[in-house]
Amino acid sequence: MDSNDNTPPVDAAYEKAQAQEWRHALDATSDHRAAGIASDPTEIAVVAEPVLAGVGAAAVAVTADLDAPPPPRQHIADPRDLAIAIRGLRVSYGSSEILHGVDLDAPRGGVLALVGPSGCGKTTLLRSLNRLTELAPTAKIDGKVLLDSDDIYGPKVDLNLLRRRVGMVFQQPNPFPMSIFDNVAFAIREQAHRRPTRTSLMPQVEHALERAGLWHEVKDDLNRSALSMSGGQQQRLCIARTLAADPEVLLMDEPCSALDPRSTARIEELIVQLAGSLTVVIVTHNLAQARRIADYAAFLLNGDLIEQGPAEQIFETPREQSTRDFVAGIFG
């Protein structure tokens, strides 16, 4: 054992966090709650935008800044190189079909924004990309989701490996009840054949926190409880924890909806920075946010994919009338 290593023995907190991680991924009730479905998967819940109490002039100024055009992208994904290709995807809960034969492409290294009114199937589509949707007891999935040309719904797919390759960040931050360090190290320990020491984990933990834009804020306080962090920091910690597993695709379900404007801006900057090193698929109700961060966009309505393409084309010169109406704010 490393004489300088101060890794505590496996304790109740670690075991509790481990159980929490898999309950969140595998328990149908947690799945429904994270998806915004109260109890019955056939019910489509409308998630209200959080109300910011006491918004002052500074917050308003930050909000105005968020509407400014994004800086020029250093990476533009090649639409011919697909990380994910969805073909004929149909998802039903009981007798209610939520997605009606969706065909959708996610170019490798790009940011794909899924937009549309509440209840259109965005979250169901997102959660189908790492097979969380099927955990609802009445769910039925048909069609193909190809990850690097391999169907993730094939009979021999290792779900644990799939969910490491296709990571997920949820709407509400869900840090584990342990230290900042142990939150990020969790995924690394899970992949190791033998429990690694804290010393050996430090470079990977630092790298993940750096990628999440959090390292310089927490590097001197890694033993602090993650639950004591601000909401924005907690969300970036959850992103760091997901990045620690070195995913190829990052799924994000309205990751900024519960955050203040400043934290939202930092998450958006992070997403743009991650583009190129991995593929990001994000659900957002915020069209201004989608304009700022997305390379590509897909508009869904009533379970149908109406239009997809480069974000600039979708938001500036959409082909379909329903897309034009949605972008113009006529409905949604």
Side-chain angles (χ1 to χ4, degrees), residues 210-224:
E210 283 274 14
R211 293 182 74 191
L214 196 55
W215 171 250
H216 293 291
E217 296 175 37
V218 303
K219 64 181 181 180
D220 298 323
D221 210 8
L222 293 176
N223 291 324
R224 177 161 62 102

Side-chain angles (χ1 to χ4, degrees), residues 112-127:
L112 169 64
L114 305 180
V115 299
S118 296
C120 68
K122 301 185 300 295
T123 292
T124 296
L125 175 58
L126 187 77
R127 296 168 72 83

Side-chain angles (χ1 to χ4, degrees), residues 40-114:
D40 183 347
T42 63
E43 296 176 1
I44 304 300
V46 177
V47 180
E49 290 293 326
V51 177
L52 297 177
V55 176
V60 173
V62 171
T63 304
D65 290 340
L66 295 181
D67 290 328
R73 291 187 173 278
Q74 298 181 359
H75 173 84
I76 299 297
D78 185 347
R80 297 167 298 181
D81 182 17
L82 300 181
I84 294 178
I86 303 170
R87 299 294 179 261
L89 182 65
R90 294 181 178 273
V91 178
S92 301
Y93 293 121
S95 60
S96 178
E97 187 172 80
I98 306 301
L99 295 177
H100 315 307
V102 170
D103 293 330
L104 178 62
D105 296 334
R108 190 183 315 280
V111 179
L112 169 64
L114 305 180

